[in-house]
Amino acid sequence: MRSWLHARHHPEFRVGALDAMGAASGLAAWGLMTGVAMVNSGLSTFEALLMGVVVFAGSSQLAAIPLIAAGAPMWVILATGFCVNLRFVVFSAHLRPYLMHLPLGQRLLSGYLTTDMSYVMFVRRCPKPASTESGCQAQHAYLVGNCAVTWVAWVGCSIAGVLLASQIPMAWGLGFAGILALLGVTLSLATNGLRWVGAGVAGMAAVASYALPYKLNILLAIAAAVAACLVLESVRQSGESLP
């Protein structure tokens, strides 16, 4: 924790925080909507607050809430959350060279607090891991500043949504605000043709299988997108290997 506290004094901390401000409004709307949705799904105030603070993963929360409300089996809820967050396995593997100078606890904390937007902004700011100690400190300070803003925006508004759930009508369009926030994340991650194909396949598969119970269309969409991208990547590599 000491490294995170010291990072806030580095100039790059402010840069990372300012970069995150641009996405903070979308995260705030998404967090507010998620807080309201947790209470309206039947969770108690304590359960909703606990989930809002501990489960720092908006997409998993949104996927789990209707399953909890429908009384889905625990394995379905856990499997859905696992699949929805599989992208963080890729993110963490990419960030490993940047964070290996930190103790294990610091690396785990960094992984827990890194969101989609934090990851995207960080790799744009730091295309390659630093080779000096001062460079590593600067990169880590940027990540800390970015993650701090996203955490405050998400958790703060999620708690506000839980506490104000009875006062905020869903007719305000908070669900649409959440969709816009998710679209912003998706579009920022679709940086090449293969990712656009994956997003398109996932969207079509999710719509085509919408009638499946327990939101299993989400799992099917993820599987279809992964399979399509693996096939296309294999074809591309085969073509490059031909004389």
Side-chain angles (χ1 to χ4, degrees):
M1 191 66 182
R2 183 181 301 175
S3 177
W4 272 68
L5 294 176
H6 286 172
R8 62 190 175 92
H9 300 295
H10 197 285
E12 283 294 303
F13 177 91
R14 185 171 182 271
V15 176
L18 289 175
D19 284 351
M21 287 293 184
S25 58
L27 288 173
W30 187 10
L32 184 68
M33 178 272 300
T34 303
V36 173
M38 284 191 291
V39 175
N40 289 342
S41 69
L43 294 179
S44 68
T45 300
F46 174 76
E47 291 170 336
L49 288 173
L50 184 64
M51 187 177 188
V53 174
V54 175
V55 184
F56 187 50
S59 54
S60 289
Q61 286 177 253
L62 290 176
I65 287 171
L67 297 177
I68 294 173
M74 182 58 68
W75 72 267
V76 173
I77 299 173
L78 294 177
T80 300
F82 176 78
C83 291
V84 168
N85 275 343
L86 273 177
R87 64 193 185 281
F88 286 102
V89 176
V90 179
F91 294 171
S92 62
H94 185 199
L95 291 177
R96 184 176 184 274
Y98 293 89
L99 303 177
M100 280 307 296
H101 66 284
L102 298 173
L104 176 60
Q106 296 292 318
R107 298 200 301 272
L108 293 175
L109 180 62
S110 297
Y112 171 70
L113 293 176
T114 299
T115 64
D116 302 83
M117 294 306 298
S118 296
Y119 169 77
V120 170
M121 294 179 189
F122 178 76
V123 296
R124 286 178 179 173
R125 178 75 176 180
C126 311
K128 296 181 180 179
S131 57
T132 63
E133 182 178 354
S134 60
C136 290
Q137 292 175 352
Q139 290 183 345
H140 185 237
Y142 178 90
L143 182 63
V144 172
N146 199 292
C147 291
V149 171
T150 56
W151 188 88
V152 170
W154 173 264
V155 174
C157 288
S158 181
I159 291 174
V162 171
L163 298 178
L164 300 175
S166 61
Q167 306 298 323
I168 302 177
M170 293 303 287
W172 280 14
L174 293 174
F176 183 65
I179 292 173
L180 291 179
L182 283 171
L183 284 175
V185 172
T186 302
L187 293 176
S188 67
L189 294 174
T191 55
N192 57 46
L194 191 61
R195 292 177 181 176
W196 277 108
V197 171
V201 170
M204 290 186 290
V207 172
S209 57
Y210 182 76
L212 290 176
Y214 301 132
K215 300 292 182 180
L216 291 176
N217 61 317
I218 297 175
L219 300 181
L220 181 62
I222 294 171
V226 170
C229 290
L230 287 175
V231 170
L232 290 175
E233 180 66 15
S234 177
V235 171
R236 185 181 67 84
Q237 291 180 352
S238 299
E240 290 178 351
S241 63
L242 294 175

